[in-house]
C-alpha cells in the first residue's frame, strides 16, 4: 500500500482511498480506531501526484483528506513554514497517519489489491 500527505496539515476529515472493495472495507475498519478524534471517513480517489503511478499499477493507495480551504494561502509562498502550522491540527494529522500505518504494518497479510 502507498500513502501520501501532500495537502497541508489542516483539520483532518479522513482518508481518500483507492483500492478494491475488500481493501476499502479494511480501511473503514482501521479508521474506526480514530473515532475518539472524530476522523473516521474513507472517501473515494486516494490518488495524488506522488503515489499515482503505483495506484495506476493496481497498488492500493491513500491520501490525507483535510480542510484545504486555506491551503493556497501558504502553498509555495513565503508563509509556507513550520511557524504557521497549527500544532493541534498537525498532531491530529500525525495521529491519523500513526494509527493507519501501525495497523497496516501489524496486519498478518498485505492490504488486498
Amino acid at each position: 500500500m502507498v500513502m501520501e500527505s501532500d495537502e497541508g496539515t489542516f483539520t483532518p476529515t479522513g482518508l481518500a482511498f483507492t483500492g478494491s472493495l475488500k481493501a476499502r472495507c479494511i480501511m473503514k475498519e482501521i479508521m474506526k480506531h480514530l473515532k475518539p478524534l472524530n476522523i473516521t471517513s474513507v472517501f473515494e480517489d486516494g490518488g495524488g501526484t506522488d503515489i499515482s503511478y503505483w495506484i495506476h499499477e493496481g497498488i492500493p493507495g491513500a491520501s490525507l483528506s483535510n480542510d484545504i480551504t486555506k491551503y493556497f494561502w501558504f502553498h509555495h509562498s513565503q508563509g509556507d513554514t513550520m511557524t504557521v502550522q497549527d500544532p493541534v491540527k498537525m498532531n491530529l494529522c500525525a495521529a491519523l497517519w500513526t494509527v493507519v500505518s501501525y495497523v497496516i504494518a501489524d496486519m498478518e497479510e498485505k492490504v488486498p489489491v
Side-chain angles (χ1 to χ4, degrees):
M1 182 163 164
V2 292
M3 300 180 283
E4 82 164 8
S5 182
D6 198 23
E7 292 185 342
T9 54
F10 302 100
T11 303
T13 56
L15 279 184
F17 180 77
T18 299
S20 68
L21 180 58
K22 187 174 181 180
R24 177 172 294 282
C25 290
I26 290 169
M27 291 309 298
K28 286 181 178 181
E29 288 299 312
I30 292 170
M31 292 301 289
K32 288 180 181 180
H33 293 290
L34 291 158
K35 188 174 182 176
L37 300 177
N38 197 30
I39 313 169
T40 58
S41 296
V42 178
F43 302 101
E44 297 288 325
D45 193 23
T49 305
D50 298 323
I51 61 173
S52 61
Y53 172 80
W54 289 283
I55 290 174
H56 196 237
E57 292 297 316
I59 305 298
S63 54
L64 177 68
S65 180
N66 64 146
D67 176 11
I68 61 168
T69 54
K70 297 180 182 176
Y71 180 70
F72 286 104
W73 291 12
F74 305 102
H75 182 66
H76 295 297
S77 74
Q78 294 296 325
D80 196 354
T81 66
M82 289 297 291
T83 59
V84 298
Q85 296 288 316
D86 179 325
V88 172
K89 293 175 183 175
M90 188 168 58
N91 286 341
L92 288 171
C93 292
L96 182 151
W97 284 122
T98 301
V99 168
V100 171
S101 299
Y102 179 84
V103 172
I104 289 173
D106 198 46
M107 290 172 50
E108 289 185 24
E109 296 182 22
K110 294 179 183 178
V111 175
V113 177

